[in-house]
Amino acid sequence: MRRATRTVASALGIFAGFGGPEHGVFEIMRGNVRPEGLLIASMGPPCNPEEVWHACEPAMTIIPSFLITGILAVTVGLATMVWAGFFVQRKRGGLVLILLSVLLLLVGGGLFPPVIGVVAGVVGTRVNDPVTRRPTRLSRFLARLWPWSLVTFFVWTLGQFVVGHFFNEFLLNSGLFSPLMIVGLMILSIASAFARDVRSAAE
């Protein structure tokens, strides 16, 4: 088993699954109200998407009720977290994680977390692949970044809520800064995990 690859797939999958409860609780609080369309804001009034950096936690849903959407988002999110944490290394474990993430997207589990879940599922499909590459100068450098690249991903992704609390205007006006940071750190985490497994196989 590629241990670092499994770790990064599990960690990203768990993070993706957490988007379910995170959005679902706010959707449940909105009650048995019909959304105006597929794209929704998980947080209802007085939250104004144009005034807060997190845009009131945007999501989408195919369910015509905020209450049921929220319940399903919490349920699917928890299932995603459990699967990512304990079963992603199984045969077709990555594929199941991808399917759970797509379902999470459709039932109000946010927009960005399910995308991360799909990426985690794709990574999960590589967990049991044999390591055939030999270390290169680049892979040795990337291997040295493991696991700190993944730690940095979580520090920024979770820390932005603290930053946003005190510096809302900064994140609100920063455009794609935060999403690009998350995507960049996620890619770096995956690359360093792959490189770490290559180095381990060569030792």
Side-chain angles (χ1 to χ4, degrees), residues 22-188:
E22 179 194 1
H23 291 77
V25 169
F26 293 115
E27 291 157 359
I28 291 171
M29 291 172 62
R30 299 194 66 173
N32 193 24
V33 178
R34 187 183 184 92
E36 295 181 358
L38 288 177
L39 293 177
I40 62 173
S42 300
M43 297 179 178
C47 186
N48 186 339
E50 298 181 356
E51 296 179 355
V52 289
W53 69 273
H54 52 67
C56 301
E57 299 287 354
M60 69 173 292
T61 180
I62 59 173
I63 309 299
S65 166
F66 274 109
L67 177 62
I68 299 176
T69 291
I71 293 173
L72 289 174
V74 171
T75 302
V76 176
L78 292 175
T80 302
M81 294 173 72
V82 170
W83 186 268
F86 296 100
F87 306 110
V88 71
Q89 76 281 0
R90 292 190 173 186
K91 185 178 181 180
R92 296 189 177 84
L95 177 60
V96 173
L97 181 55
I98 292 172
L99 295 176
L100 285 170
S101 299
V102 172
L103 181 59
L104 186 64
L105 174 67
L106 298 176
V107 295
L111 299 179
F112 215 46
V115 173
I116 294 177
V118 170
V119 173
V122 173
V123 174
T125 63
R126 301 288 305 279
V127 169
N128 295 305
D129 287 353
V131 178
T132 57
R133 295 184 179 181
R134 302 297 298 172
T136 63
R137 183 174 298 179
L138 176 60
S139 69
R140 290 190 184 97
F141 169 75
L142 290 172
R144 286 196 292 270
L145 300 180
W146 177 261
W148 303 112
S149 53
L150 183 61
V151 171
T152 306
F153 168 85
F154 278 102
V155 168
W156 169 251
T157 304
L158 300 177
Q160 66 179 333
F161 288 92
V162 178
V163 175
H165 178 76
F166 294 102
F167 304 101
N168 178 68
E169 291 297 323
F170 167 72
L171 288 184
L172 189 62
N173 297 324
S174 64
L176 296 176
F177 173 76
S178 183
L180 288 177
M181 279 287 292
I182 294 174
V183 171
L185 289 170
M186 178 178 64
I187 293 173
L188 183 61

